[in-house]
């Protein structure tokens, strides 16, 4: 007979989930066993946060909610930061959390806390399953809610006695009942209650597929209706926005990661952008959407361009600190803002034309509404391209500056030259990673992964696990700051055990540079920001990976090529790059 873990696995397969990310625990062991038995990939990380980060990355890259399973109590609490990161990045994922046995709630059992109360502000919704027959329908509902409207994480609490085989649970209950008072009237009453409780808990467990299928059909019909309504709304709002775009002379488009929430729609989105012909700035997960060197894509001086533009489209890019709260955009410009979340749509700046909905779908509809080829100011796009060319020249000039160690810009430019066309970049750091955003050219849609608006450090190891499961065969590059790498360096053990070939590059300048720049200038104090030039490559070797110490500029190219060859063999590599200090990003604290 199937146990609760088998029922969980059936739903995950039904939803198209190919991998489960986890850190083991007695409360959730049947889930891991059930998933492996069902043929799913089970990737066990070294920290619960990494498991949830992995589920986050998997969701972003596939469009299918990622799934992580963690044990009760501290297993759940360790996942909180990763859950909040997914919530703010609008990633659909399911966190399966173990819990104390249903009959022991509030009695001081191991790791028994109010988990749903703890997480209710960190996820879209919490579900607490109480009966085995409710496992499948509850999980199906969790997947639906995770993807509906603005996507986000869901927490599903699964008590230990719902997951293990019925016979085992009844044996537990027998022992517990017997211990209450053998032969006494009170003991018999306790045993009667436990038997009754078990009967109710397991009753009708085999009927769940029928009921859950009916519920799924009802929700599917509802979702289809909502999609039709959204399509009509997008068409009408695009018809409103199109005339203002036709009149524009200096348009600019900013596309955020929300536009990639449906990865399978990327080609349609690209075609729409090309049909509009307006200059485009990509941010966050949208980096790489147009490839490495598309003529419409601009990378530098976005602030100046937005101040000069007379028509601006924000597609999934809210006016938060990244756009200086909307002050980058001219008050004289027509501002069209498209966002799936109402709060973000009106944040800090009222758009001329607000569109509550999916940014990619609106862009496609806008291109259809505009129809003919747009005629912009002849010098507009070329002036933006010229600024980009000048900035690239400046970067190359700074990259050629020789110091005693590795010039970070030189290293990043050589990494860019070495990357395969089918590659994915995982960004986990402050100063070094921010410099990479200026220099690296992601090759294709969904080939750049960063934490998102929350700016969380520590995503690296987990994001690699998720990317490896979602992008089979892609060359994986993990860019670490020397501050951030310590958060997930232990996942090198996971990379080794699961044969995940990744090239991790640590930008080691012995400093939390993003903070130190302003702190030391304003406060003249280096408290808390200085590190050591630690031998991170030796740490990676200790976990079974391959480590390189890179401290000579002449060694960059050969080390990168050797690392690529090793990664193709499924061996994880860490390059400990000893950097010169740089003022490339002076004044980089964000507020």
């Amino acid at each position: 007979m199937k146990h609760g873990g088998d029922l969980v696995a059936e739903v995950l397969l039904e939803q198209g989930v190919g991998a489960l990310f986890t850190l083991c625990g007695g409360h959730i062991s049947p889930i891991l066993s059930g998933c492996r038995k069902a043929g799913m990939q089970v990737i066990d990380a070294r920290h619960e946060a990494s498991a949830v980060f992995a589920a986050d990355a998997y969701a972003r890259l596939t469009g299918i909610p990622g799934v992580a399973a963690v044990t009760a109590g501290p297993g759940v609490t360790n996942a909180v930061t990763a859950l909040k990161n997914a919530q703010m990045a609008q990633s659909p994922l399911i966190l399966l959390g173990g819990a104390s046995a249903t009959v022991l709630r509030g009695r001081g059992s191991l790791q028994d806390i109010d988990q749903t109360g703890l997480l209710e502000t960190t996820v879209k919704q919490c579900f607490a399953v109480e009966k085995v027959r409710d496992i499948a329908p509850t999980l199906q509902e969790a997947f639906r809610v995770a993807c509906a409207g603005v996507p986000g994480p869901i927490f599903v609490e699964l008590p230990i006695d719902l997951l293990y085989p019925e016979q085992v649970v009844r044996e537990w209950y027998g022992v517990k009942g017997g211990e209450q008072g053998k032969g006494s009237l009170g003991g018999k009453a306790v045993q009667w209650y436990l038997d009754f409780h078990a009967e109710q808990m397991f009753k009708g467990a085999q009927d769940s597929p029928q009921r859950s299928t009916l519920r799924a059909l009802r929700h599917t019909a509802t979702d289809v209706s909502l999609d039709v309504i959204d399509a009509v709304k997008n068409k009408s709002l695009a018809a409103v926005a199109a005339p203002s775009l036709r009149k524009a002379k200096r348009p600019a488009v900013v596309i955020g990661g929300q536009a990639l929430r449906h990865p399978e729609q990327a080609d349609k989105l690209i075609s729409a952008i090309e049909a509009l012909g307006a200059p485009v700035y990509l941010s966050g997960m949208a980096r790489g959407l147009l490839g490495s060197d598309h003529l419409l894509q601009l990378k530098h001086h976005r602030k100046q361009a937005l101040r000069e533009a007379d028509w601006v489209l924000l597609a999934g890019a809210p006016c938060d600190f990244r756009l200086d709260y909307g002050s980058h955009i001219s008050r004289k410009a027509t501002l069209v803002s498209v966002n799936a979340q109402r709060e973000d749509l009106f944040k800090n700046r009222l758009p001329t034309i607000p569109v509550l909905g999916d940014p990619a779908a609106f862009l496609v509809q806008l291109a259809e509404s505009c129809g003919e080829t747009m005629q912009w100011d002849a010098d507009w796009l070329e002036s933006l391209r010229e600024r980009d060319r000048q900035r690239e020249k400046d970067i190359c000039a700074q990259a050629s500056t020789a110091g005693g160690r590795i010039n970070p810009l030189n290293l990043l430019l050589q990494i860019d030259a070495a990357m395969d066309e089918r590659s994915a970049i995982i960004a986990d750091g402050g100063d070094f990673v921010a410099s990479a955003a200026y220099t690296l050219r992601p090759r294709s849609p969904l080939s750049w992964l960063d934490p998102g608006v929350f700016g969380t450090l520590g995503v690296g190891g987990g994001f690699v696990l998720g990317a490896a499961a979602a992008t089979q065969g892609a060359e994986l590059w993990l860019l670490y700051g020397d501050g951030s790498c310590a958060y997930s360096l232990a996942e090198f053990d996971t990379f080794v055990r699961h044969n995940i070939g990744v090239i991790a590059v640590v930008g080691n300048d012995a400093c939390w540079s993003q903070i130190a720049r302003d702190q030391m200038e304003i406060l003249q104090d280096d408290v808390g920001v200085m590190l050591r030039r630690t031998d991170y490559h030796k740490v990676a070797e200790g976990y079974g990976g391959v480590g390189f110490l890179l401290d000579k500029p002449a060694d960059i190219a050969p080390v990168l090529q050797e690392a690529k060859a090793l990664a193709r063999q499924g061996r994880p590599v860490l390059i400990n790059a000893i950097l010169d200090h740089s003022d490339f990003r002076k004044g980089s604290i964000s507020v």
Side-chain angles (χ1 to χ4, degrees), residues 292 411-420 425 439-443 560:
S292 59
L411 172 60
L412 290 166
L413 289 175
Q414 292 204 48
I415 289 173
D416 184 70
M419 282 193 304
D420 279 0
I425 305 165
T439 52
L440 299 187
R441 298 171 302 154
R443 304 303 201 245
L560 292 178

Side-chain angles (χ1 to χ4, degrees), residues 13 16 29 38 146 239 265 277 294 296 318-319 357 391-393 453 475 495 551 570:
L13 288 176
S29 291
Q265 301 287 332
H294 197 285
L296 291 177
C319 288
R391 181 56 169 153
E392 294 292 341
K393 288 180 180 178
V453 64
E475 185 177 81
F495 303 157
D551 58 0

Side-chain angles (χ1 to χ4, degrees), residues 263-339:
E264 72 281 1
Q265 301 287 332
D267 288 343
K268 287 185 178 179
L269 177 57
I270 294 168
S271 296
I273 292 169
E274 291 175 337
L276 291 172
V280 174
Y281 293 86
L282 304 174
S283 65
M285 278 286 295
R287 287 189 174 96
L289 173 64
L290 298 177
S292 59
D293 52 8
H294 197 285
L295 290 176
L296 291 177
Q297 180 180 341
L298 286 306
K299 291 179 61 176
H300 307 295
H301 300 295
R302 183 179 69 182
K303 180 188 300 186
Q304 185 176 350
L306 292 178
R307 286 175 175 164
E308 296 172 354
D310 61 359
W311 190 95
V312 175
L313 171 61
L314 302 181
C319 288
D320 56 20
F321 71 93
R322 293 168 293 182
L323 287 174
D324 201 17
Y325 310 100
S327 65
H328 289 180
I329 302 165
S330 170
R331 293 287 172 179
K332 298 178 181 179
T334 297
L335 173 58
V336 181
S337 183
V338 191
N339 206 290

Side-chain angles (χ1 to χ4, degrees), residues 180-479:
Q180 300 297 321
K182 296 179 180 179
S184 69
L185 184 61
K188 291 178 180 178
V190 169
Q191 189 59 62
W192 176 87
Y193 170 76
L194 290 174
D195 289 341
F196 174 78
H197 183 84
E199 187 67 29
Q200 296 301 308
M201 192 171 62
F202 286 101
K203 184 178 180 180
Q206 304 307 312
D207 298 335
S208 59
Q210 285 187 333
R211 285 203 292 270
S212 61
T213 299
L214 290 174
R215 177 182 291 185
L217 287 173
R218 287 198 301 272
H219 285 313
T220 298
T222 301
D223 292 342
V224 169
S225 299
L226 291 174
D227 288 343
V228 171
I229 293 171
D230 286 343
V232 172
K233 181 180 65 177
N234 277 333
K235 186 173 183 178
S236 62
L237 289 171
V240 172
S244 64
L245 177 56
R246 292 193 195 100
K247 294 177 183 177
K249 297 298 182 182
R250 300 182 307 281
V253 178
V254 180
I255 299 179
Q258 193 185 83
L260 275 297
R261 59 184 288 193
H262 299 297
E264 72 281 1
Q265 301 287 332
D267 288 343
K268 287 185 178 179
L269 177 57
I270 294 168
S271 296
I273 292 169
E274 291 175 337
L276 291 172
V280 174
Y281 293 86
L282 304 174
S283 65
M285 278 286 295
R287 287 189 174 96
L289 173 64
L290 298 177
S292 59
D293 52 8
H294 197 285
L295 290 176
L296 291 177
Q297 180 180 341
L298 286 306
K299 291 179 61 176
H300 307 295
H301 300 295
R302 183 179 69 182
K303 180 188 300 186
Q304 185 176 350
L306 292 178
R307 286 175 175 164
E308 296 172 354
D310 61 359
W311 190 95
V312 175
L313 171 61
L314 302 181
C319 288
D320 56 20
F321 71 93
R322 293 168 293 182
L323 287 174
D324 201 17
Y325 310 100
S327 65
H328 289 180
I329 302 165
S330 170
R331 293 287 172 179
K332 298 178 181 179
T334 297
L335 173 58
V336 181
S337 183
V338 191
N339 206 290
Q341 185 158 284
R342 180 176 294 275
E343 178 186 353
D344 286 343
L345 184 60
F346 298 102
K347 184 171 288 183
N348 299 310
R349 179 75 182 267
L350 291 177
T352 313
I353 303 175
V355 182
L356 182 63
D358 179 64
F362 178 81
L363 273 165
V364 171
Q365 194 62 60
L366 180 62
E368 292 180 5
S369 296
C370 286
E372 76 264 12
T373 303
M374 300 292 103
Q375 298 295 322
W376 316 125
D377 185 318
D379 297 330
W380 172 239
L381 184 54
E382 181 55 32
S383 68
L384 298 180
R385 288 174 180 161
E386 179 58 27
R387 289 176 194 168
D388 261 30
R389 286 191 287 266
Q390 290 301 320
R391 181 56 169 153
E392 294 292 341
K393 288 180 180 178
D394 292 342
I395 290 173
C396 288
Q398 292 183 60
S400 64
T401 303
R405 300 181 176 92
I406 301 295
N407 182 314
L409 294 177
N410 181 28
L411 172 60
L412 290 166
L413 289 175
Q414 292 204 48
I415 289 173
D416 184 70
M419 282 193 304
D420 279 0
E421 283 306 304
R422 187 160 183 261
S423 58
I425 305 165
I426 292 92
D428 184 11
D431 192 68
F432 182 61
V433 165
S435 296
Y438 284 94
T439 52
L440 299 187
R441 298 171 302 154
R443 304 303 201 245
S444 59
L446 299 167
S447 60
W448 172 278
L449 274 169
D450 63 27
V453 64
F454 204 24
T456 312
L457 294 183
V459 303
F463 274 17
V464 167
L465 299 178
T471 60
Q472 300 286 339
E475 185 177 81
L476 301 177
W477 291 83
L478 170 55
L479 301 182

Side-chain angles (χ1 to χ4, degrees), residues 25 76 141 366 397:
V76 170
E141 177 69 358
L366 180 62

Side-chain angles (χ1 to χ4, degrees), residues 40-56:
M40 286 181 62
Q41 189 177 11
V42 178
I43 301 178
D44 50 318
R46 296 303 301 269
H47 196 286
E48 286 89 358
S50 290
V52 178
F53 284 135
D56 182 350

